[in-house]
Amino acid sequence: MIQDPAQSTPYGTLPPASPLANRKPVSLPRLLEMRARGEKITMLTAYDATFAAVADAAGVECILIGDSLGMVCQGLPSTVGVSLETMRYHTESVSRGIRRAQGTAWLIADMPFGTYQESKEQALRNAVVLSQAGAHMVKVEGGGWTAETVRFLVERGIPVCAHLGLTPQTVHALGGYRVQGKSDASADTLRRHAQELQDAGASMLVLEMVPHALAASVTQSLPYCATIGIGAGKDTAGQVLVLHDMLGVNLGKMPKFVRNFMADGGSIRGAMEAYVAAVKNGSFPDNALHAW
Ligand code: KIV
């Protein structure tokens, strides 16, 4: 039962009810409403039950079970080696944690490399595995050819988040973790792919490491799709960061666009709350750090 405000009991004083108490589960219509109203959407990655529950309690609306877990949990050199079984395991763990904590977050699971490229039927089979593990939405990387797959999944009741710009699963083809969409031609291609993905039914689109002006113009042109930026400036509908990066526990080189929120927050829950506040009030990210 929610106690409100702080109350004395035979067992001591209960804290006042969290302002987050009695929250409704985050839904796709609600996220698209936020996008339409201009309220920033917050997303963090999480890979286990406890961190997911803490992020949820800190007010993070969307939790991404990202295949970045290959690097941060498994010690792999890239996301290329992450398997469907690993994604299923972590998705189930996050989903259980959210349920146990009576959380409300919208859960998005990455479809790993090699699990959707072969055919739309293969994509559906594997998206079902992640949905049954607790994902509300699946994420696929790439433009052009993915639109047909996105349409196939959406028509069959599986919401899809697309991912353009730096797509880590194709790091070898891209020649490294580089900014994308810098030339006029590549920016035009990215804009066209974004439009095709929205038309196919993608209701979210991660834009990773693209110039902020390009991310802003894509966001403007997609009224039915919530753009989520990472290294793409502040003018997207929302933001995402890799949990370990924003807590300052990255094993490699910290990307330039990341802020260490532990410094602001003082604790893991505090860091997540500081992140939510900074995204909502527009103080993170700083476009000056995205002048690619
Ligand atoms: O895997 C992941 O964590 C991601 C984010 C970087 C967007 O795709």
Side-chain angles (χ1 to χ4, degrees):
M1 193 174 85
I2 308 293
Q3 304 288 327
D4 192 23
Q7 275 187 8
S8 268
T9 75
Y11 313 105
T13 305
L14 293 171
S18 155
L20 300 171
N22 291 331
R23 293 177 304 159
K24 289 207 183 95
V26 176
S27 64
L28 197 49
R30 176 157 146 218
L31 291 166
L32 291 173
E33 241 170 62
M34 288 172 69
R35 188 257 175 273
R37 263 190 289 121
E39 180 184 344
K40 297 286 182 187
I41 296 166
T42 56
M43 185 188 294
L44 275 181
T45 67
Y47 316 104
D48 68 28
T50 308
F51 277 92
V54 176
D56 180 275
V60 173
E61 284 113 6
C62 302
I63 293 178
L64 171 65
I65 304 102
D67 58 359
S68 50
L69 64 81
M71 278 114 110
V72 299
C73 301
Q74 296 181 286
L76 294 170
S78 74
T79 59
V80 174
V82 176
S83 70
L84 182 68
E85 174 49 24
T86 300
M87 290 306 303
R88 190 203 61 74
Y89 170 87
H90 286 273
T91 301
E92 209 167 62
S93 304
V94 165
S95 174
R96 254 189 241 121
I98 295 292
R99 249 182 293 130
R100 255 186 73 177
Q102 299 185 318
T104 61
W106 177 254
L107 305 186
I108 304 153
D110 258 327
M111 297 200 60
F113 185 62
T115 65
Y116 57 98
Q117 283 85 350
E118 205 174 292
S119 66
K120 45 196 196 329
E121 289 77 12
Q122 179 210 27
L124 177 63
R125 230 176 8 258
N126 294 329
V128 166
V129 171
L130 298 177
S131 302
Q132 290 178 340
H136 303 125
M137 173 177 244
V138 296
K139 178 160 83 59
V140 296
E141 295 185 6
W145 65 273
T146 57
E148 196 189 335
T149 301
V150 169
R151 187 181 304 281
F152 193 74
L153 297 182
V154 171
E155 281 175 347
R156 282 154 185 78
I158 300 178
V160 180
C161 175
H163 186 153
L164 293 175
L166 171 62
T167 45
Q169 292 176 6
T170 47
V171 61
H172 302 307
L174 296 175
Y177 295 98
R178 297 159 190 266
V179 180
Q180 303 295 309
K182 275 176 38 170
S183 69
D184 288 350
S186 62
D188 284 349
T189 303
L190 191 145
R191 276 195 205 90
R192 180 165 49 78
H193 286 168
Q195 190 63 55
E196 286 167 4
L197 287 161
Q198 179 186 261
D199 294 348
S203 38
M204 267 194 194
L205 168 63
V206 168
L207 291 171
E208 181 164 357
M209 283 188 74
V210 299
H212 63 80
L214 174 58
S217 79
V218 169
T219 300
Q220 286 284 319
S221 66
L222 301 182
Y224 308 116
C225 183
T227 55
I228 307 291
I230 173 163
K234 68 197 309 175
D235 298 316
T236 47
Q239 296 291 327
V240 60
L241 281 178
V242 170
L243 173 67
H244 294 57
D245 288 350
M246 59 83 77
L247 296 177
V249 288
N250 184 312
L251 285 178
K253 203 170 133 217
M254 194 64 84
K256 185 172 116 186
F257 55 80
V258 172
R259 185 186 299 172
N260 178 350
F261 283 91
M262 275 301 268
D264 304 342
S267 67
I268 289 170
R269 164 86 180 249
M272 292 173 176
E273 286 174 347
Y275 167 71
V276 170
V279 171
K280 297 274 182 202
N281 71 25
S283 60
F284 177 81
D286 179 351
N287 275 354
L289 296 179
H290 301 85
W292 308 118

